[in-house]
Structure formats: structure tokens, C-alpha cells
Amino acid sequence: NAGVTQTPKFQVLKTGQSMTLQCAQDMNHEYMSWYRQDPGMGLRLIHYSVGAGITDQGEVPNGYNVSRSTTEDFPLRLLSAAPSQTSVYFCASSPRGTRADTQYFGPGTRLTVL
Amino acid sequence: AQSVTQLGSHVSVSEGALVLLRCNYSSSVPPYLFWYVQYPNQGLQLLLKYTTGATLVKGINGFEAEFKKSETSFHLTKPSAHMSDAAEYFCAVSNVDSNYQLIWGAGTKLIIKP
């Protein structure tokens, strides 16, 4: 099992550009989520999905879109990048998304917006 | 609103010394509690979690944590620090009030002095 994979590892964008961060898992997990990590702020939930075709907003959804057409994939789209979106982005999955579940994290994407 | 407080953004201990990382939470209902570790340039991985039952929880790499309801705490300890323990540690809580989403602390960076 590859677990949770994310691409790219690093990305530099100019303000206003759009891009998609890819996330895939091969563990047949129902629940997937996107977090951003900023120094001194822990992880903040952007969007999450409890199954294919179902997505919902987290704590900081503005400026981001998601879709979940398959169980395996959960891409995150930045519509018009802003410097405030400079961060490290983590995708995570868990078997059912229940409150006792362990979350499995990808290696992260480090994004810089100039 | 629920919150997780980790005391100390940086904790420095000597190799072989006791490691104590503090976590306090606010929750009006029984919580599920987690400690995750992030090694440099990697994603997060689960160290240990408390769901129900025994309040002293043992995790990987010799770490353990004790759930103290009266103190609303879930401090992480390890009797003897090793250089390989240098990482950032995150405490998180979930319960029915958080709609089963994880609420994260800001993280504590553990520094090991030789």
C-alpha cells in the first residue's frame, strides 16, 4: 500500500493563478480531508468528504474547492491564488471518519504564492 | 467553543531525560484524545489515542499519555528522550460537539540536546 499520496511536493504560484493539488489513497477509506498548516496555528481543516460524491466545508474553506468523484481521489483546487494561501497542505484519510478513527496523512505540498 | 492548548511552542530536554509535553482541552462532553507526531518534512502520524476504557494509554516509540478528566488534560510523556524523538507533536480532540472533526493544538516542537 502506498497509503496517502500527494502531488506536487512543492509549488510556486503567482497571485491570481489557479492550480489543483492532488491527493489519492489506496486504503479504501471513506473519509478524506484537506488541512493547511501554518506556523504556530496547528492544522486547520479546509474541506472534507465522507464518501464519493459528498463534500463539506471545514474551518477555512474560502478560496478552495474540492470534489470527490471516486473513493480514491480528493483534489483541492485553488481558484485564484493569494499570498495568504502560502502554506503547507496536508491530505488525510480515515476508514469511516468516526471520532475514534486514526487519520493517515500524506507527505504534504509546500505552496508559495508570490 | 472547544479548544486545545499545548503549553510551550518549544520544549528542550537532554538526551536520556524525561519528556513531558502538556495538553489541555476544553470539552463539555466526553472527548476522544489524540497525539500525533510530525518528523521534519513529513506528514503527521498517530502516536497514541484515548477513546474509552483505561486512562493510561501507551503508544509507539515508548510514549504514553494519561487522560485526566478532572484536570481536562492529556499530557504526553516518555521516560528517557532519544535524539530520534526530535519532532513536532500535536494534541487533538474530537467529540460529538465538534461534529467528529478534530480540533488541533498549535503544536510543540521537541528539541533534544546531546
Side-chain angles (χ1 to χ4, degrees), chain A residues 18-87:
Chain A
S18 63
M19 78 160 294
T20 299
L21 308 185
Q22 302 291 344
C23 173
Q25 53 91 10
D26 62 359
M27 298 174 282
N28 201 32
H29 285 174
E30 291 182 13
Y31 180 89
M32 296 185 74
S33 57
W34 276 102
Y35 291 94
R36 59 177 290 171
Q37 183 182 32
D38 302 293
M41 301 187 72
L43 278 76
R44 292 183 290 169
L45 183 65
I46 305 172
H47 286 285
Y48 65 96
S49 167
V50 297
I54 307 169
T55 64
D56 206 347
Q57 297 181 350
E59 182 186 354
V60 288
N62 291 343
Y64 307 95
N65 271 358
V66 292
S67 59
R68 182 100 180 268
S69 55
T70 67
T71 300
E72 294 78 19
D73 299 299
F74 191 45
L76 178 72
R77 280 182 285 278
L78 279 70
L79 309 173
S80 177
S84 60
Q85 294 178 304
T86 293
S87 187

